[in-house]
Amino acid sequence: MPQDTRPHVVIVGGGFAGVAAMRELADAPVRVTLVDRHVYNMFQPLMYQVATGGLNAGDVTYFLRSLRAKQANAEFRHGLLTGIRPEERVAEMSDGEHLHYDWLILANGVNTSYFGTPGAYEYAYSMYSRSQALRIRDELFTRLEEAAANQGPDEIKIVIVGGGATGVEMAGALAELRDQALEGAYPELDKGAITITLVHRSGELLKPFAPRLRRYAAKVLRKRGVVLRLNTGVSEVKRDGVMTADGEFIPASQVIWATGVAAHKEVSGWGMPQTHGGRIQVNDDLSVKGVERIFSAGDIAAQDDALAQLAQPALQGGRHSAKQIKRLLEGKPTEHFKYFDKGTMATIGTNAAVAQLRGGITMVGPVAWAAWVVVHIASLLGNGNRLSTLSHFFVRYLWFMRKRAIPIVGDVRPVRPNGDREPEPWQMQKAE
């Protein structure tokens, strides 16, 4: 078999930025290798739906190898990048393999940051991977089963740390689960025994949004029974609750950490220039500062003019990085990355969402919620995922069906013969 002499582009990360870069190179005279520690692309904006039993995990994940069927010049490599030797153009993998590249795009995303908060890693549940979202769901339903069988505390207290989009959407989904779906599934439980508290260091939710949208989100959450503890920092997470910065203890059956991001640990071994939090410093064209033939895009890339860590900046950044490689192959200079802000949105539950569009246009309520549904379904990879998600949304949200909607349950910890359940997640080694 003749050796492929086309320039080799290695893309690290199969998220929004990595997949966008790969697709942009579909017609380029290169061969592309997409590398990811997982074998799937995860649609992060809907992970909270998985965590609250609204969607199956498969609805929001896409098998990365399936992308090869649509792109002849691409292949997938399941692995972890541990080192880079720019002078030799070598990417070192954790299994010892060396990938030789002509161009490298670093788009591996970020992980949860606990800001050094004692106990947060051990006892709080984060939501940056599919397995983490499933752990939240499984633990929640384990608590519900214990309460229904009077094998645990009568009250289920959930504390969410963080008032950004993830925290607000999670709080709204949990409130909706409690007020609607659990009524038919758990008639033994008084929904008043399930409390949801959102703790946020700032005095307002959704800081990147317009003040009108922040006020609307807070109003809707309070109306739906979520307790808001604003201007409240968390100094420690314990097995049974959180300590606030002013010394108050808030009891919790389950603590969900929905704030803060940092680079994955292995990035520090790549030899790239990093900012606080471990993100990679890039120039205006998204090339890595001080390093040749390497670009970075998405949440891991840190520009001097910081962008929000959302899907659109990642998608546009991934495409831009790939376009610069094509320009360089054609002997043209690179261009500055110019982000086109299409706006951002967040949902608080059925018929309640906020949307901030280009030009300062804002929307709230059912119109914003309908727009949120359309945008998120359209953004999923694969028609199968779109149809499956649409059907689940139809059942969960359509007015004459949602009262009878039963949540998607997962692997509730089984009861052993002696009556004891399996150890709780914090009693076992926590996986990343």
Side-chain angles (χ1 to χ4, degrees), residues 176-233:
E176 197 159 76
L177 178 70
R178 174 194 61 194
D179 297 340
Q180 294 175 4
L182 297 186
E183 183 176 346
Y186 291 94
E188 308 95 330
L189 301 181
D190 178 5
K191 69 179 183 181
I194 303 173
T195 61
I196 304 161
T197 303
L198 190 152
V199 180
H200 188 43
R201 182 179 297 274
S202 173
E204 292 183 292
L205 304 173
L206 300 175
K207 287 291 287 184
F209 288 77
R212 169 182 175 241
L213 306 186
R214 301 177 204 164
R215 292 191 296 268
Y216 174 83
K219 178 183 176 181
V220 171
L221 285 178
R222 288 191 175 105
K223 185 178 179 181
R224 299 188 179 194
V226 177
V227 178
L228 299 184
R229 296 293 306 272
L230 305 180
N231 292 311
T232 303

Side-chain angles (χ1 to χ4, degrees), residues 28-363:
V30 299
R31 60 188 179 97
V32 180
T33 300
L34 179 66
V35 178
D36 197 283
R37 68 179 69 211
H38 300 293
V39 298
Y40 58 82
N41 167 278
M42 177 185 64
F43 191 69
Q44 183 68 34
L46 289 179
M47 288 308 292
Y48 78 94
Q49 290 275 351
V50 175
T52 56
L55 292 174
N56 282 308
D59 296 336
V60 297
T61 53
Y62 188 81
F63 192 32
L64 286 170
R65 287 186 178 274
S66 298
L67 295 171
R68 301 178 64 188
K70 302 177 181 178
Q71 189 165 335
N73 68 342
E75 61 181 19
F76 174 73
R77 170 68 160 81
H78 181 215
L80 181 68
L81 179 69
T82 56
I84 302 172
R85 302 205 300 264
E87 299 83 5
E88 303 169 55
R89 300 181 199 166
V90 168
E92 300 175 344
M93 307 300 292
S94 60
D95 60 3
E97 183 182 357
H98 291 170
L99 292 179
H100 293 266
Y101 66 85
D102 293 285
W103 305 96
L104 180 63
I105 299 177
L106 304 175
N108 62 310
V110 290
N111 201 8
T112 303
S113 172
Y114 298 102
F115 305 112
T117 306
Y121 175 79
E122 292 80 4
Y123 300 125
Y125 292 75
S126 60
M127 201 166 41
Y128 247 91
S129 72
R130 182 171 69 171
S131 61
Q132 290 172 338
L134 291 173
R135 281 202 299 271
I136 292 174
R137 182 191 68 182
D138 295 348
E139 180 62 15
L140 171 61
F141 281 95
T142 295
R143 299 287 185 184
L144 290 168
E145 291 296 332
E146 289 175 344
N150 294 320
Q151 295 175 340
D154 293 334
E155 289 186 290
I156 298 174
K157 300 180 178 180
I158 302 171
V159 171
I160 300 168
V161 180
T166 301
V168 166
E169 292 183 333
M170 189 70 186
L174 285 169
E176 197 159 76
L177 178 70
R178 174 194 61 194
D179 297 340
Q180 294 175 4
L182 297 186
E183 183 176 346
Y186 291 94
E188 308 95 330
L189 301 181
D190 178 5
K191 69 179 183 181
I194 303 173
T195 61
I196 304 161
T197 303
L198 190 152
V199 180
H200 188 43
R201 182 179 297 274
S202 173
E204 292 183 292
L205 304 173
L206 300 175
K207 287 291 287 184
F209 288 77
R212 169 182 175 241
L213 306 186
R214 301 177 204 164
R215 292 191 296 268
Y216 174 83
K219 178 183 176 181
V220 171
L221 285 178
R222 288 191 175 105
K223 185 178 179 181
R224 299 188 179 194
V226 177
V227 178
L228 299 184
R229 296 293 306 272
L230 305 180
N231 292 311
T232 303
V234 172
S235 61
E236 184 179 0
V237 178
K238 297 179 177 292
R239 181 177 61 84
D240 55 352
V242 300
M243 292 292 300
T244 68
D246 58 7
E248 180 187 358
F249 180 70
I250 303 176
S253 310
Q254 190 171 10
V255 178
I256 298 173
W257 195 270
T259 183
V261 295
H264 291 277
K265 294 177 182 178
E266 68 271 8
V267 176
S268 61
W270 293 355
M272 300 293 103
Q274 293 178 270
T275 63
H276 178 71
R279 299 172 68 199
I280 297 172
Q281 296 180 5
V282 296
N283 298 305
D284 290 339
D285 60 356
L286 300 188
S287 62
V288 176
K289 289 187 175 182
V291 186
E292 294 184 351
R293 292 178 174 261
I294 301 180
F295 291 83
S296 185
D299 290 350
I300 191 62
Q303 292 180 269
D304 294 335
D305 185 14
L307 293 174
Q309 291 171 306
L310 299 170
Q312 274 301 317
L315 288 166
Q316 295 180 36
R319 286 194 291 267
H320 180 85
S321 298
K323 287 178 180 178
Q324 303 322 296
I325 292 174
K326 291 195 292 186
R327 290 182 63 85
L328 290 168
L329 288 170
E330 295 169 357
K332 299 177 182 178
T334 60
E335 299 175 321
H336 288 186
F337 174 56
K338 296 179 181 179
Y339 173 57
F340 180 78
D341 187 1
K342 296 182 179 180
T344 185
M345 53 183 60
T347 182
I348 312 145
T350 308
N351 290 327
V354 294
Q356 185 167 294
L357 308 179
R358 186 174 177 84
I361 300 172
T362 60
M363 298 187 300

